[in-house]
Coordinates of all heavy atoms in Angstrom, one line a residue:
A193 N -88.9 3.3 -129.7 CA -89.2 1.9 -130.0 C -89.9 1.3 -128.8 O -89.5 1.5 -127.6 CB -87.8 1.3 -130.1
T194 N -91.0 0.6 -129.1 CA -91.8 0.0 -128.1 C -92.0 -1.5 -128.4 O -92.3 -1.8 -129.6 CB -93.1 0.7 -127.9 OG1 -92.9 2.1 -127.7 CG2 -94.0 0.1 -126.8
L195 N -91.9 -2.4 -127.5 CA -92.1 -3.8 -127.7 C -93.7 -4.1 -127.5 O -94.2 -3.7 -126.5 CB -91.3 -4.6 -126.7 CG -91.4 -6.2 -126.8 CD1 -90.8 -6.6 -128.2 CD2 -90.7 -6.9 -125.7
F196 N -94.2 -4.8 -128.5 CA -95.6 -5.2 -128.4 C -95.8 -6.6 -128.7 O -95.0 -7.3 -129.5 CB -96.4 -4.4 -129.6 CG -96.6 -3.0 -129.4 CD1 -95.7 -2.0 -129.9 CD2 -97.8 -2.5 -128.8 CE1 -95.9 -0.7 -129.7 CE2 -98.0 -1.1 -128.6 CZ -97.1 -0.2 -129.1
T197 N -96.8 -7.2 -128.1 CA -97.3 -8.5 -128.5 C -98.1 -8.3 -129.7 O -98.6 -7.2 -130.0 CB -98.1 -9.3 -127.5 OG1 -99.2 -8.5 -127.2 CG2 -97.2 -9.4 -126.2
V198 N -98.5 -9.3 -130.6 CA -99.4 -9.2 -131.7 C -100.7 -8.7 -131.2 O -101.3 -7.8 -131.8 CB -99.4 -10.4 -132.5 CG1 -100.5 -10.3 -133.5 CG2 -98.1 -10.7 -133.2
E199 N -101.1 -9.2 -130.1 CA -102.3 -8.8 -129.5 C -102.4 -7.4 -129.2 O -103.4 -6.6 -129.5 CB -102.7 -9.6 -128.3 CG -104.1 -9.4 -127.6 CD -104.4 -10.3 -126.4 OE1 -103.4 -10.6 -125.7 OE2 -105.5 -10.7 -126.3
D200 N -101.4 -6.8 -128.5 CA -101.4 -5.4 -128.1 C -101.3 -4.5 -129.3 O -101.9 -3.4 -129.4 CB -100.2 -5.1 -127.2 CG -100.4 -5.8 -125.8 OD1 -101.5 -6.1 -125.5 OD2 -99.3 -6.1 -125.1
L201 N -100.5 -5.0 -130.3 CA -100.3 -4.1 -131.5 C -101.6 -3.8 -132.2 O -101.8 -2.7 -132.7 CB -99.3 -4.8 -132.5 CG -98.8 -4.0 -133.6 CD1 -97.9 -2.8 -133.2 CD2 -98.1 -4.9 -134.7
F202 N -102.4 -4.8 -132.3 CA -103.6 -4.7 -133.1 C -104.9 -4.4 -132.2 O -106.0 -4.3 -132.7 CB -103.9 -6.0 -133.9 CG -103.1 -6.2 -135.1 CD1 -101.9 -7.0 -135.0 CD2 -103.4 -5.6 -136.3 CE1 -101.1 -7.1 -136.1 CE2 -102.6 -5.8 -137.3 CZ -101.4 -6.5 -137.3
S203 N -104.6 -4.2 -130.9 CA -105.7 -3.9 -130.0 C -105.7 -2.4 -129.7 O -106.5 -1.9 -128.9 CB -105.6 -4.7 -128.7 OG -105.7 -6.1 -129.0
E204 N -104.8 -1.7 -130.2 CA -104.6 -0.2 -129.9 C -105.8 0.5 -130.6 O -105.7 0.7 -131.9 CB -103.3 0.3 -130.4 CG -103.0 1.7 -130.0 CD -101.6 2.1 -130.4 OE1 -100.8 1.3 -131.0 OE2 -101.2 3.3 -130.2
A205 N -106.8 1.0 -129.9 CA -107.9 1.7 -130.5 C -107.4 3.0 -131.2 O -106.6 3.7 -130.6 CB -108.9 1.9 -129.4
G206 N -108.0 3.2 -132.3 CA -107.7 4.4 -133.0 C -106.4 4.4 -133.8 O -106.1 5.4 -134.4
A207 N -105.7 3.3 -133.8 CA -104.5 3.1 -134.6 C -104.8 2.7 -136.0 O -105.4 1.8 -136.2 CB -103.5 2.2 -133.9
H208 N -104.3 3.5 -136.9 CA -104.3 3.1 -138.4 C -103.0 2.9 -138.9 O -102.1 3.8 -138.8 CB -105.0 4.3 -139.1 CG -106.6 4.3 -138.8 ND1 -107.4 5.2 -139.5 CD2 -107.3 3.7 -137.9 CE1 -108.6 5.1 -139.0 NE2 -108.6 4.2 -138.1
Y209 N -102.7 1.7 -139.5 CA -101.5 1.5 -140.1 C -101.6 1.6 -141.6 O -102.5 0.9 -142.2 CB -100.9 0.1 -139.8 CG -100.5 0.0 -138.4 CD1 -101.4 -0.6 -137.4 CD2 -99.3 0.4 -137.9 CE1 -101.1 -0.7 -136.1 CE2 -98.9 0.3 -136.6 CZ -99.8 -0.2 -135.6 OH -99.5 -0.4 -134.3
E210 N -100.9 2.6 -142.2 CA -101.2 3.0 -143.6 C -99.9 2.6 -144.4 O -98.8 3.0 -144.1 CB -101.4 4.5 -143.8 CG -101.6 5.0 -145.2 CD -101.7 6.5 -145.3 OE1 -100.7 7.2 -145.3 OE2 -102.9 6.9 -145.2
I211 N -100.2 1.8 -145.5 CA -99.2 1.4 -146.4 C -99.1 2.4 -147.5 O -100.1 2.6 -148.2 CB -99.5 0.0 -147.1 CG1 -99.8 -1.0 -146.0 CG2 -98.3 -0.5 -147.9 CD1 -98.8 -1.3 -145.0
P212 N -98.0 3.2 -147.5 CA -98.0 4.4 -148.5 C -97.9 3.9 -149.9 O -97.5 2.8 -150.2 CB -96.7 5.1 -148.1 CG -95.9 4.1 -147.3 CD -96.8 3.2 -146.7
I213 N -98.3 4.8 -150.8 CA -98.3 4.5 -152.2 C -97.0 4.1 -152.8 O -97.0 3.3 -153.8 CB -98.9 5.7 -153.0 CG1 -99.3 5.4 -154.4 CG2 -97.9 6.9 -153.0 CD1 -100.3 4.2 -154.6
Y214 N -95.9 4.6 -152.2 CA -94.6 4.1 -152.8 C -94.2 2.7 -152.5 O -93.2 2.2 -153.0 CB -93.5 5.2 -152.4 CG -93.4 5.3 -150.9 CD1 -92.8 4.4 -150.1 CD2 -93.9 6.5 -150.3 CE1 -92.6 4.6 -148.8 CE2 -93.7 6.8 -149.0 CZ -93.1 5.9 -148.2 OH -93.0 6.1 -146.9
Q215 N -94.9 2.1 -151.5 CA -94.6 0.6 -151.2 C -95.4 -0.2 -152.2 O -96.4 0.1 -152.7 CB -95.2 0.4 -149.8 CG -94.5 1.1 -148.7 CD -93.3 0.4 -148.1 OE1 -92.7 -0.4 -148.9 NE2 -92.9 0.6 -146.9
R216 N -94.8 -1.3 -152.5 CA -95.3 -2.3 -153.5 C -96.5 -2.9 -152.9 O -96.8 -2.9 -151.7 CB -94.3 -3.3 -153.8 CG -93.7 -4.2 -152.7 CD -92.8 -5.2 -153.0 NE -92.2 -5.9 -151.9 CZ -91.4 -7.0 -152.0 NH1 -91.1 -7.4 -153.1 NH2 -91.0 -7.5 -150.9
N217 N -97.2 -3.7 -153.7 CA -98.4 -4.4 -153.3 C -97.9 -5.6 -152.5 O -96.8 -6.0 -152.5 CB -99.2 -4.9 -154.5 CG -100.1 -3.8 -155.1 OD1 -100.5 -2.9 -154.4 ND2 -100.4 -3.8 -156.4
Y218 N -98.9 -6.2 -151.8 CA -98.6 -7.4 -151.0 C -98.1 -8.5 -151.9 O -98.7 -8.9 -152.9 CB -99.9 -7.8 -150.2 CG -99.6 -9.1 -149.4 CD1 -98.9 -8.9 -148.2 CD2 -100.0 -10.3 -149.7 CE1 -98.7 -10.0 -147.4 CE2 -99.8 -11.5 -149.0 CZ -99.1 -11.3 -147.8 OH -98.8 -12.4 -147.0
S219 N -96.9 -9.0 -151.6 CA -96.3 -10.0 -152.6 C -95.9 -11.3 -151.9 O -95.3 -12.1 -152.6 CB -95.1 -9.3 -153.2 OG -94.1 -9.0 -152.2
W220 N -96.1 -11.5 -150.6 CA -95.7 -12.7 -150.0 C -96.5 -14.0 -150.6 O -97.7 -13.8 -150.9 CB -95.9 -12.7 -148.4 CG -94.7 -12.1 -147.8 CD1 -93.7 -11.4 -148.3 CD2 -94.4 -12.3 -146.4 NE1 -92.8 -11.0 -147.4 CE2 -93.2 -11.5 -146.2 CE3 -95.0 -12.9 -145.4 CZ2 -92.6 -11.5 -144.9 CZ3 -94.4 -12.9 -144.2 CH2 -93.2 -12.1 -143.9
R221 N -95.9 -15.1 -150.8 CA -96.5 -16.3 -151.3 C -96.1 -17.4 -150.4 O -95.8 -17.3 -149.3 CB -96.1 -16.5 -152.8 CG -96.6 -15.4 -153.7 CD -98.1 -15.4 -153.8 NE -98.6 -14.4 -154.6 CZ -99.1 -13.2 -154.3 NH1 -99.0 -12.9 -153.0 NH2 -99.6 -12.3 -155.1

């Protein structure tokens, strides 16, 4: 477990966050 700011989380070069096929589509409204 590592604590990140939003900036650090999305600034990590080479990091790919993959939503697997078994996860539902984006549904927030």
Side-chain angles (χ1 to χ4, degrees):
T194 307
L195 183 67
F196 288 89
T197 64
V198 169
E199 182 177 36
D200 292 340
L201 186 72
F202 286 95
S203 297
E204 187 178 1
H208 289 187
Y209 292 98
E210 180 183 84
I211 312 300
I213 189 62
Y214 54 78
Q215 294 271 28
R216 61 180 175 170
N217 282 329
Y218 182 74
S219 62
W220 274 19
R221 294 296 179 264

